[in-house]
Structure formats: C-alpha cells, structure tokens
Amino acid sequence: MTVPGETPVRVGVFGLLGSGNLGNDGSLEAVLGYLRARHPEALVDALCGGPEEVAARYRIPATRLHWYRGEYRTASRLGAVAGKGLGKLVDVFRTAAWVRRHDVVIVPGMGVLEATLPLRPWGFPYSLFLLCASGRLSGTRVALVGVGAAPIGDRATRALVRWSARLAAYRSYRDTLSRDALRAMGVDTARDKVHPDLAFALPAPPPSTPSGAPGPVCVGVMDFHGGNDDRARAEEIHRRYLDGTTRFVRALAEEGRPVRLLTGDDCDAPVAAAILDAVGSPLVTASEANSLADLMKETAAADTVVATRYHNLVCALRAGTPTLALSYAAKSDALMARMGLDAYCHPAREIDADRLLSQFRELESRSAQLRRTLAERNLLVSRQLDDQFTDLTAALFPAADHTHVLREAS
C-alpha cells in the first residue's frame, strides 16, 4: 500500500513480449499477477516487441522495443542494413531514456541468457545489454526473474549475456543448469536462487477425469531447426524432426486416437499445417490457443501430452497431465526431472517414431501413478514460487516488504 504523499513505485517490464511467443507472454502474465496482488500501487508499463498486443491484452502502456520496425527481418538491401545499423544507435538513447523513468525494471522469465535456438548477438542479447547497462548507470534496479541460461558457443553473444547478467541488480533462475551456466561464464552467482518457471504461477484448470477408454492426445509441435551452433545442419534437423513427428501422429490416428496439435509461437503454425496435410485424418486437428491459459485447458482435457516447446511442457505439467518431452535442450530434461517425469524424454533432433511410440505406451500405462506424482510436485512448485515472489519483494520493494512485516507482527 502506498503511504499518503509517497510516489508510487514505477515498474517497467522488458522483453520479447506480445510478439507471438505464448511462453514469453505467460511469464509476463505471472509477473503482472504478482505485482497486482502484492504491489497494486505500482505504475507498470512495458518496453517490448509487440506493444499493441501487450497494451490491448494486459491493459498497460507499452513502447516498441526497437526504433527500427524491420529489426527481425533479414536485411539484404543497403537501405535495410543502414536502417538496422542506425536503429542500434538510436536504441541506445531510447532504452536509456525509458529505463531512467523507472524505479525497477523486471525481465520476466524467458530464456534471455541462452542461445538454444538460433540467435544473433546484435538482436535481443544487444537489447538486453543496453537495458542492464542503462539500469546500472541510472540507478534503476534491473531484475532478471526466473530466467533461463545455457552455455553459449558464440563469443560475442556470450560476452553480451555475461555483462548483462553482471550488471543486473537481481537474478534468479528457473533451474540449476541456468545458474551453473552463468557461473561457468564468470558471473558470481553465490547469492542467486533457483525457483520454478514463472508460468507455474498461472492458475491451473480443473483436471479431466479419464474415462477408461483411450482418449485424446495433445502433440505440441515446433518450428525446430536446431540451436545456434546447428545452422549448417538446420534444414536437415528440421526435416528429421518433421518426419518423425508426422510418423508418430499418423500412428496414433491409425489406432483411432484423436490428436490435437498444439503450438507455442506463431512460427509453429506451418509445422502443424504440414502434419495435418501429411496425415490427412479427421482425427487430427490443430488448436488455435493464443495464451498459456488456453494451452493449459487443451492439455488438461487430454489423456496424454507429447510436446517440444518448453512452455508447452510447462502447461501440460501444470495441468497435471502425463507428459512426454521431445527435448531439444537440457532445460527440458531439467523441467521433466523437477516434476518426476525424467524417464519420459526423447531427443527432438533424432526422433525415432517406433521408440517414441514405445515410450508413449509406457507413459500411458503409468498414467494414474504419474497424475498423483504431478499433483504432489505442483503443490511443492507453488510453495517455491511463493518464495520467489517474497524474495523479489524484499530485493526490489524493501519499503513494501517492511510494511508487510509490520502488518504480520501486529
């Protein structure tokens, strides 16, 4: 609560938000829920990739992350190259000016300190560095909250990520692997904590009651081309992923199982369309979910989920549905281990449809037991996220934390 006469805390949220990635937006939604519950007096706005979407959906003012509107289009013409170059310079001043207007800036979750998917150093890593450097210079506290990190091969990207992390006033991670990766890059992580992914803070839909007969299966697909170090093999990796996933979906349809294809980013839609065309069965349909809440409802209604994208996995696990991960990075394996399903991971780079079917059948045979395990793990995760938000208040809103302590004492 704001004391009369005091100025409300000005909080900025920063990232590739409102840009079509449901996981990023779900992380934002979790942080906004925390702010509205514990710091309703805070004045919140965003510097983000999709300001129109963020403003419309979350009812907060939003500013475009980049001055140059073609930032994420490949620049081949001289004018586009010049525009991008000028944009990088202009963004130095735009970012600094935006940061100075805030007491606190929160980067909500997301894999902002990793390059497990293709990434150029002058893209988001550069933007994040500008944010953290501006915060250090202006005295604004920048918090990287529940973020993901991973070893990075590219020297320039690694340097930008390392300096961004060093300049931040607060860091927490969504798994131990992330903290270890930052430590290996030379960041002092002695005071940094690990908490579950922020999306687990979103409300879960009521679980479905299995009827006994085989029911629907959700298959989360992805426009997967490997990681930052796989660019030379990107198309080969994608073809192998698409072929293996298609064969798996076709096998389920031939057994009479309804299959619901899920995506997690706008770029995944062509993959779902390709599988629909290749399988050609009325049993296979594609979801039009446009939020993590929608994805959770889809996964809650399924008997089983098989998914690639990290936040597709989070949604299924949060909903308490037995899940098999098509894992493309160590973060997926770590997530599955946290929730007690580490035996049910399959490499996204080398999908073997026959072995995947075997794992799927074993998963379904243990469905009742795994649902109980997930219910227990979700209770633990909820408590751990309460600790995350309490830590965040103590670090970024000390006055509010002091008021809370006094209230509790009285």
Side-chain angles (χ1 to χ4, degrees):
M1 178 180 292
T2 305
V3 176
E6 283 192 357
T7 304
V9 177
R10 299 162 300 173
V11 180
V13 289
F14 177 95
L16 293 177
L17 310 165
S19 301
N21 184 288
L22 302 187
N24 292 357
D25 291 353
S27 299
L28 169 63
E29 188 173 341
V31 164
L32 291 178
Y34 150 73
L35 290 171
R36 287 164 179 163
R38 301 201 187 187
H39 304 284
E41 77 288 351
L43 301 177
V44 184
D45 73 304
L47 185 64
C48 59
E52 297 86 0
E53 175 69 16
V54 167
R57 176 173 290 193
Y58 302 110
R59 309 288 183 180
I60 60 174
T63 303
R64 185 174 298 279
L65 179 59
H66 301 290
W67 174 80
Y68 181 62
R69 290 177 176 266
E71 173 65 29
Y72 293 106
R73 294 195 294 267
T74 300
S76 55
R77 293 180 302 169
L78 183 60
V81 172
K84 276 197 172 187
L86 179 60
K88 298 302 176 189
L89 178 61
V90 173
D91 285 344
V92 172
F93 301 99
R94 290 179 71 252
T95 303
W98 182 81
V99 169
R100 278 197 303 271
R101 295 199 298 269
H102 299 84
D103 301 297
V104 173
V105 174
I106 296 174
V107 180
M110 307 176 284
V112 297
L113 303 177
E114 64 181 54
T116 52
L117 297 175
L119 183 70
R120 299 293 190 189
W122 54 83
F124 188 77
Y126 173 77
S127 299
L128 184 65
F129 171 73
L130 291 183
L131 172 79
C132 296
S134 297
R136 179 60 66 91
L137 291 170
S138 66
T140 298
R141 289 161 287 175
V142 174
L144 309 180
V145 182
V147 298
I152 297 172
D154 180 76
R155 182 178 297 178
T157 303
R158 186 170 62 249
L160 287 168
V161 163
R162 179 172 61 247
W163 277 106
S164 296
R166 284 176 174 172
L167 292 168
Y170 174 92
R171 296 181 299 267
S172 66
Y173 310 96
R174 63 190 180 191
D175 51 48
T176 303
L177 290 173
S178 296
R179 184 171 61 185
D180 292 346
L182 260 291
R183 182 183 297 125
M185 289 185 212
V187 178
D188 180 3
T189 62
R191 297 183 179 181
D192 299 353
K193 295 185 179 181
V194 173
H195 300 280
D197 188 85
L198 291 172
F200 279 104
L202 298 175
S208 63
T209 304
S211 62
V217 179
C218 283
V219 178
V221 300
M222 179 178 177
D223 185 26
F224 180 60
H225 292 77
N228 219 36
D229 299 328
D230 297 318
R231 291 179 183 272
R233 299 175 51 236
E235 288 309 313
E236 173 195 343
I237 290 170
H238 181 67
R239 283 195 300 272
R240 189 164 186 170
Y241 169 80
L242 182 58
D243 178 65
T245 306
T246 301
R247 288 181 59 202
F248 174 70
V249 171
R250 182 181 291 117
L252 292 178
E254 288 173 351
E255 293 176 0
R257 299 293 293 271
V259 177
R260 190 76 160 155
L261 300 180
L262 307 179
T263 59
D265 194 293
D266 290 347
C267 66
D268 300 333
V271 178
I275 294 172
L276 287 172
D277 288 344
V279 176
S281 167
L283 290 171
V284 183
T285 58
S287 167
E288 296 183 355
N290 63 4
S291 69
L292 287 197
D294 290 345
L295 283 178
M296 281 192 203
K297 290 175 185 176
E298 294 270 12
T299 59
D303 277 5
T304 311
V305 175
V306 179
T308 312
R309 277 202 181 271
Y310 181 84
H311 280 100
N312 278 192
L313 295 173
V314 170
C315 285
L317 297 168
R318 179 74 178 102
T321 304
T323 302
L324 198 160
L326 295 177
S327 176
Y328 67 88
K331 63 183 179 182
S332 300
D333 299 337
L335 172 64
M336 296 293 282
R338 179 191 284 274
M339 300 304 287
L341 275 73
D342 44 314
Y344 300 103
C345 296
H346 190 97
R349 282 176 174 78
E350 299 175 1
I351 294 178
D352 180 326
D354 293 332
R355 188 163 72 85
L356 182 58
L357 276 166
S358 176
Q359 287 181 286
F360 172 80
R361 288 177 179 130
E362 181 189 344
L363 178 74
E364 291 215 310
S365 73
R366 299 183 59 210
S367 179
Q369 175 189 345
L370 294 175
R371 284 179 181 271
R372 289 192 294 271
T373 297
L374 287 172
E376 294 168 1
R377 297 295 174 102
N378 271 308
L379 288 174
L380 175 60
V381 161
S382 294
R383 291 196 295 269
Q384 291 170 332
L385 276 172
D386 281 342
D387 293 341
Q388 161 70 98
F389 293 134
T390 298
D391 288 349
L392 193 59
T393 289
L396 301 183
F397 306 94
D401 187 53
H402 179 66
T403 301
H404 175 74
V405 170
L406 291 177
R407 267 202 310 268
E408 290 291 313
S410 64

